[in-house]
Structures are given as C-alpha cells and as structure tokens.
Amino acid sequence: MNPVNYLYLSALLFTIGATGVLIRRNAIVVFMCIELMLNACNLAFVTFSRMHGNLDGQIIAFFTMVVAAAEVVVGLAIIVSLFRSRHSASVDDASLMKL
Amino acid sequence: MENLIALLVAAPLLGAAVLLCGGRRLDAVGHWIGVLMSSASFVFGVILFADLLGKDAEHRTLMQHLFSWVPVEGFQADVAFRLDQLSVTFVLLITGVGSLIHLYSVGYMEHDERRRRFFGYLNLFLAAMLLLVLADNYLLLYVGWEGVGLASYLLIGFWQHKPSAATAAKKAFLVNRVGDMGLSIAIMLMFTTFGTFAFGPVLSHTGDTSEGKLTAIGLMLLLAACGKSAQVPLQSWLGDAMEGPTPVSALIHAATMVTAGVYLIVRSGAIFNAAPDAQLAVTVVGAVTLLFGAIVGCAKDDIKKALAGSTMSQIGYMVLAAGLGPIGYVFAIMHLVTHGFFKAGLFLGAGSVMHGMNDEVDMRKYGGLRKYMPVTFITFGLGYLAIIGFPGLSGFFSKDKIIEAAFAKGGTEGWILGTCALLGAAITAFYMTRVMLMTFFGEERWKNQPTRSPEAPSAEPAAEHHGEHAEPHPHESPKVMTIPMIVLAVGSVFGGAFFSIGDRFLHWLEPVTGHSEGDSPLSAAAVTGGTMVCLLIGVGIAWAMYGRRPVPAVAPRGSLLTRAARRDLLQDDFNHVVLVRGGEHLTRSLVYVDHTLVDGVVNGTAASVGGLSGRMRKLQNGFARSYAVSMFGGAAILIAATLLMRAV
Amino acid sequence: MSAQELAAYSTSTGEAFQFWVLGTVAVIGALATVFMKRAVHSALSLAGTMIILAIFYLANGAYFLGIVQIVVYTGAIMMLFLFVVMLVGVTAADSLKETIKGQRWLALLCGLGFGILLLAGIGNASLTEFDGLSTANANGNVEGLATLIFTKYVFAFEITGALLITAAVGAMVLTHRERTERAKTQRELSEQRVREGKYVPPLPAPGVYARHNAVDIAGLLPDGTPSELTVSKTLRDRGQIRDVSAEALNDLKALEQRAEERLERTEIEPATFKREEASK
C-alpha cells in the first residue's frame, strides 16, 4: 500500500468535517466537526513528515494540537455563555446580523 | 510725483468709504465731502498733468507700482498705475466733468433724503473709472471695469422704489455682464498668448503673434467695449438707464462708463492695428451704432431718452474713429473729450429743465421755456450748437476730423463709412434741433395740461405727486446747478478750437496712440463743406417740422420707422424674441432632457441597484452556516482554479 | 515496524491491513459524528475516530504525537466536550431537519465538489517518493521533536504558551458572571412568595414510589395524575419528567397477578397496561 492513502483518508475526513459544520445546527457538534477537520490536517502533516523524512511536519501537528486545545477552551466557554443567555446551543438562533 | 497717481484713485474711494460707512451723522455734510473728494482728485490730476507737460514728449509716462497683487510663479499681477498722455486726458475729463456734476448734484438732489448715499455712489463711480483708466495691466483694468458696472447699477437703480428704475439697473447690469464676459475672455486669451496682462509686454509683442489670435482677442475686446459703451448689439441698456437721476445720466454719458469702451479700444490699439478684421468689425459696429442711436434719438419725446440716443450715436462716432486705426485714435479721444463737455452740459441742462418743470420729461409738454430759464437756455443752446457741429464750436472740430478720417480710410470702406458719418451728422442736426425747438421755443404747451399723454414714459417720482394735476411753474435753477452748466458751456464752445488749432491734441496724444494721415479721396475743405450742407439740411427739416408748425401735445401715430424708433428700433423686442424666448425654449428643453434622460438614467440606476440589492439582501439571511457554505464553495472554486492553472 | 519499512515506497502488508480496517472505521466514526442526532453520540464517535488517528500517527512514526493525541485529545478535549454536552443537556436530541432553504443541498454539493477536487489534487501531485523517518527518528522521536521545539521553533512554542494562558483567562472571563445584586435570603424569598400570593407552602416532594431514583418522577395527586410541581424546574424545562402513573398501576397489576398465580387462580385474565415513557 502506498502511504499516500493516508492523505486520501485525511482529505476524506476533512471534507466530512466541513460538511458537518455546514449541516449541523448544534454548536457543540459544529465544534466537534471542526476538531475533526483539524485532526484530518494533523494526519496529513504527519504523513508529509514521513514523506519528507524530517520532523517539522510533526512539530506543526503538535502546534495545531496546542492551538486546538486553546480554541476548544475558548469556544466551549462561548457556547456555555451563549447557552446561558439564550437557553439554546443552536447556531441559527444567533442570526441577528440581518435586516 | 509718481506717488500722486494712487491718490487720484484713493481720494474718491476714501470718499465713497466714508460716505457709505459713515451713516446718518454725515447726512448734513455728506454731499460736500463727495464734492471735496472728487475735486481733490481733479487737483491731483491737474498737478500731474502739469508735471507731464514739463517733460519731453517721449518721457511723459509715469509709473507707480503699488504692490504685488498675485505674486504667483507664472501668473504675475501687480497693482500698478500708468499715467501717460492718454490716461491723463481721461483723468482730467473724468475728475473735471465729474466734479462739476458733483457740484450740480448738490442742488439737484437737495430734496432727496438719501443724498449722502448718492454722493457715496458717485465717488465710487469716479474711483472705479479712474482705476480703469490708470491701471497698468488688463487684470487691474478689469477690476475698475467691474467697479464701473457696480457703481452704474447702484446709481441707475438709485430710486429703487420705482420698479422701472430697479428693472433698468438690472438690465444695465445684465447687458454689461455680456460685455464683461468678452473682456474676461480677452484677458484669458492674452494670458495664454502672451503669458502676462501688463500693457507694456502685451502691446509690444503683437508683432510676433499670429493674426488669428489677435483677431480673437480684438473681437472679445470689442464685445467688452460694446457692453460698456452701449454699442450695437449691446446698446439696449442705455435708454433705460435714464431711470437714474439726471446727474447720473450726465456722468454715465459724458465722463465715465460709456467712454470706457473707447478707452479700451484705443489703449489696445496695438492689438487692433495687427488684426485688420477686428478693426473692420469695430468700424462697422461704430457706423451702425452711429445711425441707430441717431434714428432712435429722432423719435423720442422724452428729453433724456432723446439725449441718450444722441450719446449712443456720438459714441458710435468715437468707436468708428477708434476702428480706423492710427488715422482715428486721436480724433476718437478728442471727440470723446469735447463730447464730454457738451453732453454733460446738455444733460445738466435737461436736468435743470426737469427741475423747473416738476420733473416732467415729455418734451411735448415743454415749449417756450427760454423766457423762464435763460441760463439753462443759453448753456443748453451752446451745447446744442457744439454737438451739431456749428462752425467754431468744439463739436465742429472733433466731428469733422472723424468724418475726414473715415473718408481717409480709403477704398470702398472709406466711402461707406464716410457717408454714414455724414448722414449721422445730418440726423444729429435734425434731432438736436428738434429737442431745442420743442423745449425752448414754440407755444407754452405746459399750460392747461392737467393730464399726461399715454405715450409719455414714466417720469421721476415727484411727478407722480404734484406734476399730474398742478400746473408747473418753470423757474431757473439755483446757482449751484447753473455754475457747472456755465463752465461746461464754456468748455463746449472753446474746447474744440483749443485742441485743434496747431494740432495741440494730436501732438499731445501721438506718442501713445500713434498717428497717420491716411489718403483721403476728398480734401478737408470738401468734407467740411459736405458736413455743413448736411447740418443745414438737418436743421432745416427740423425747423420745417417743429419750428414752423405747432408741436402736437399728443404724439401723432407717425410712420412705421418712427414707431419702431420710439421703441428703440425694436431692440428690446429683438432681445426678447431671440434671447429671452430662445433661452426659455432652451431651458424648457433642457429641463425636459434633465427630467427624462438624466433623471431617467439616475433613477433607473438607483432603481436597478435597489432592486438588485433587494435580491442580494435575501442572500444575507444572517445564518452563519449560510455564510460558511459560501466560504466553503469559494475554497472549492479556488482549488479548482489552482488545479486548472496547473493543468494548463 | 522497522526503519526499513518506513522508508519504503509501499508499506508492509500489516500496515496496509491495519489502514484499510481502521481507516474504514475512522470514516464511519466521522460520518457518525456528523449524522448522529444526539451530541453525546457524536462526541463518542469522534473520540473513536481520534483514537484511530492516534494509531495512524504511531504507524507513521510519530510516536510522541500518537501518545499526545490520545492523552490530550481523547483524554482532555473530548472530555471537555462531554462535560459541556452534559451541561447543555445530554438527552436533548437535535432535529436534523433543515431549516434554511437549500442549505443542505448546497452543503452536500459543496462538500462533494470540494472532496473530489481535494482527492484529485492529491492524486495529481505524484507523491510517490517517501523518505521515511529512519534518519530523523534515529536518536528517538521525542528527542528529535524536543530538539526542534527548543531550537528552531522556540519562539512559536513560547507564543503558543502565551496563547494557552490567554485562552484559559479568556474562558474564565467568558463564563464568569458577576453578581450585580445581593442574593436574596431565604426569609426575603418567603416574604416575597407571600406578598405575590403564589404557592406559599413548601413544594411537594417528588418520587413517592421509592423503587425509582425518584428525582425525575412526578409525584401523583390523589386522583392518580402526576403533578409537575414535584419535579425540579431544570428537569421540567428539559422535558425529562418520567410519568410513572401508569407504571405504578402496572406494577400493582403484576403483583396481583403473581399473587393470584401463587394462589392458583388462573381464570382471571390479567389486564396489561402499556408502559409509556414521557419523553419529548
């Protein structure tokens, strides 16, 4: 098997995650889909690292994880405060930016 | 000595400022301040004139640089004055005649409660006119030019409570604007052609400029002169300007305003000399106006309007002479000066008559006044003799020279222009005799005349109150009015002879304007003889019509020409039909185009943008997920584009 | 997994087998994440996918990352997710019915197009040469990463540290609520109740039937109908009250039937009551 298949898997997961972001209304699930996309990217980085024979790709994946962790913390805090004020975690409810 | 030049302008300007800003507390002495300031200017003028006389003919030019007005790189305009023979002639005429008119006004405006303001305007008029003739560049001249326009507007509309006066002032201002446009365009053309406005560089570089450009500048200058000097086709304001107080008419017609156009043409002589087409246009305008004004003057029953027609005609003579080039420049100015004397005298005389006749202006209601106002009769009569060119009086010398010069133009043009001038002389004799006869001779038609003829133009306001039902009691005017008339009469009697004997005036002005004799097909004696014959014919016809037969108190219907002439040869109708109606139609069609086409395009654009936005707004539904789809689709398109670029 | 294998153009059969099996599971997990109705199911599916990804990291020679993936992602982040899911409402199922017109089709179309283009791009890139990590990992994967982090990427590392601190503070600021007025004492609350003429006595206790964990079960009024007052407001809001009025009678019936069986009275038809669960 050619390791390129990892990249295909990564692309597939990324697309599924992106579609999920677009389809789901629940902010928490949307967030999970974003995490899925990040993970798919990480897989690609790791595969590239193997492809090029150096560890830089893994470093990038590592930083992605750290940033993702920070993002999750803030994002979930936003969801919690949103839920507190609106009693709903639906992203469609926050549609005030229109006439 | 140069430093006195600025004082010439400054004195009346200061007078105007003091009088107009001083308020009511100056009401008691305001008129004397005005007289003092104009006289002071006259004294300065005389001092400077004496200084010039003491110099060589070649060095009779004084320059005074006051300050840099627009010190911009490539656009240099200074406030600088030039006093040469031409300017000083004008200065003396303006301040001299102007001061006499000021003095006269003290009496004439005695009962007007706004006399102080009147004198402020008069002083402003003098200051503007002096600035005009003293300026050393066209831009400063333009300032004076506009100042004259403003002052004339204020003075013609001085009795602004009369709608006719307000309208006349507006009309004068608007017609003058057309001429001012010409002057401003001429100045712009000068700037693009010569890069400067100063007289020296502009007038000395005419040799190395294309004739086309000079012709354009010349025609624009001619347009300007037409506006200020009331030449065809911009003559229509002059008759209506009679709505102003009579001293104003005298000032406008004799010393200031209408002479500005002649000054402009003579001053710009170098340009016209190099542009024969423009020069021809000047002579044609002069000749046409000469006859036009004379014909109008024949038909008017209003004494001031008859004199206004006469002014138009006489200025026509000057413009004709100025258009003849070096042959005529000197005579144009000479006639201007003599005309300044006798026309001022005639107007002041007319004012004196009106003063004594309850401000009645209709000559058909005068008659036999010589017994009641002898001084006015004598001075007016001398002015009359001067203007028709009675031998020995000033008009004889100056007008005769112009007719000679017209013939001296040579060729067919010379004959046509000369014949026009001769014909004009005959008509002048006719209408002036008519005025004279109707006013001072014949039966006393003002007795038992309770009602006014419907033909009579609206008179000055006093007539409304007591002129209509009360019988007038003609009387001589006070001394303050008669003295200026006497002085002017003396000038009109001896001025021409003084200037002409030994060609004094010619030698005086020649260094500035240049002079050439031309080749006249007729001898001077023949021309003089012809003029005399014309004069006699004109006087004779007038005597036959108005002297032997009694003058009807109500104007007869008259021939077609008479009726047209009474309406100023239909000039207002022409203007109305061609300009006003045309303008209205143009405006209406422009409004239509604006409403349908422009507004249609604008509103259509707005409506289509609005409609499009209304549809676009539906895309903005506020749902983050919708926006995310757009982003995602955009990313997909970017990838597709990248792949396509790689494939290509 | 030797270094020799990692450097090869193609992987060992074992890794291939592992990829195809676990890869399929990962895709299924991802799809489940998207399409599961309940957020908690989505979270669990995602956790599964992440664990499989951790295994793939390990297979690709990223030993440190594989472990970190399990510890940080599945261990910490996913637990955080579950925590929030619990906070928001664990049993609340989302409706997957689309409310924005055309959104679903557009999303699927875009997803499909994007996926195809991405796969085509990778397929187009002729990525056949694999160097493998044998050299890079020669001194051990962790040591290699550490060397890079503390030399080449030290600034990025420090900045991510700052980012983490900021995120922690930010989360606290976002979720912290300052009390704007003094909390009411019990006395004040009871006085307010009396003043407003609302329900004055203490609320009735829930769960009269002790066999249940009775917090979510409404107490029964004398006529046998459940009273919503007896259940806590939070559960009421979430619609998580269990109606046990029928259940109790069913139990009673079953008890009676057993007693009758014991007493061999079989001729009586046992009446059965459907047990209904009240869930919205």
Side-chain angles (χ1 to χ4, degrees), chain B residues 421-487:
Chain B
L422 270 180
L423 194 57
I427 305 176
T428 306
F430 171 76
Y431 67 74
M432 282 315 297
T433 310
R434 174 175 175 268
V435 169
M436 199 67 197
L437 290 174
M438 285 174 86
T439 307
F440 292 103
F441 295 92
E443 58 184 276
E444 296 166 357
R445 292 183 300 276
W446 39 272
K447 287 185 173 167
N448 308 316
Q449 280 283 330
T451 50
R452 308 174 55 164
S453 77
E455 277 281 317
S458 65
E460 288 162 19
E464 308 283 338
H465 304 304
H466 51 86
E468 212 158 313
H469 302 293
E471 195 177 280
H473 300 285
H475 56 274
E476 188 53 87
S477 300
K479 284 243 163 48
V480 74
M481 287 167 72
T482 51
I483 289 171
M485 287 155 63
I486 294 167
V487 173

Side-chain angles (χ1 to χ4, degrees), chain C residues 224-267:
Chain C
T225 54
S227 161
E228 294 213 330
L229 263 183
T230 58
V231 185
S232 125
K233 186 172 174 296
T234 312
L235 291 176
R236 235 186 291 150
D237 283 349
R238 287 188 197 163
Q240 286 175 340
I241 303 171
R242 278 205 281 164
D243 183 3
V244 290
S245 50
E247 191 179 337
L249 291 174
N250 264 339
D251 286 353
L252 197 63
K253 280 292 170 210
L255 199 64
E256 280 173 358
Q257 194 178 352
R258 274 207 295 282
E260 275 168 10
E261 277 170 5
R262 179 101 30 103
L263 297 170
E264 295 174 343
R265 294 190 203 154
T266 52
E267 64 268 19

Side-chain angles (χ1 to χ4, degrees), chain A residues 1-26 28-29 31-33 35-36 38-43 46-81 83-84 88-89 92, chain C residues 6 9-11 15-16 19-20 27 30-31 33-34 36-37 39 42-43 46 50 53 56-57 59-62 65 68-69 73 77 80-81 84-85 88 94-100 103-104 107-108 111 114-115 118-119 122-123 127 129-133 136-137 141 144-145 148-149 152-153 156-157 160 163-164 167 171 174-175 177:
Chain A
M1 183 199 76
N2 193 320
V4 168
N5 285 339
Y6 286 114
L7 292 180
Y8 287 125
L9 177 64
S10 156
L12 201 56
L13 292 181
F14 186 90
T15 310
I16 292 169
T19 315
V21 169
L22 301 182
I23 289 177
R24 293 305 296 261
R25 274 196 301 274
N26 190 332
I28 303 169
V29 180
F31 226 130
M32 288 184 212
C33 292
E35 291 304 315
L36 184 60
L38 285 169
N39 270 284
C41 291
N42 276 355
L43 179 60
V46 168
T47 312
F48 284 132
S49 167
R50 181 184 184 184
M51 193 195 303
H52 296 300
N54 61 31
L55 294 176
D56 291 52
Q58 294 187 15
I59 298 281
I60 300 295
F62 171 72
F63 282 135
T64 311
M65 279 184 197
V66 176
V67 174
E71 175 224 350
V72 164
V73 168
V74 176
L76 288 178
I78 291 172
I79 289 174
V80 167
S81 51
F83 184 77
R84 267 191 203 153
S88 156
D92 285 359
Chain C
L6 286 173
Y9 288 94
S10 69
T11 54
E15 195 187 341
F19 174 81
W20 289 116
V27 171
L31 289 172
T33 308
V34 174
M36 279 295 184
K37 270 187 160 190
S42 291
L46 186 61
M50 283 178 174
L53 286 183
F56 284 160
Y57 293 170
N60 275 321
L65 274 188
V68 168
Q69 169 87 356
Y73 254 115
I77 295 182
L80 208 55
F81 265 109
V84 173
V85 169
V88 170
D94 290 348
S95 161
L96 285 184
K97 194 165 178 298
E98 188 54 61
T99 48
I100 306 173
Q103 168 79 8
R104 172 159 296 175
L108 287 178
F114 185 85
L118 209 54
L119 296 178
I122 294 167
L127 303 165
E129 185 102 5
F130 272 72
D131 293 344
L133 286 167
N137 275 349
N141 179 255
L145 283 179
L148 276 176
I149 284 175
K152 193 175 171 186
Y153 294 101
F157 180 73
T160 45
L163 180 69
L164 277 176
L174 276 172
T175 50
R177 271 197 302 191

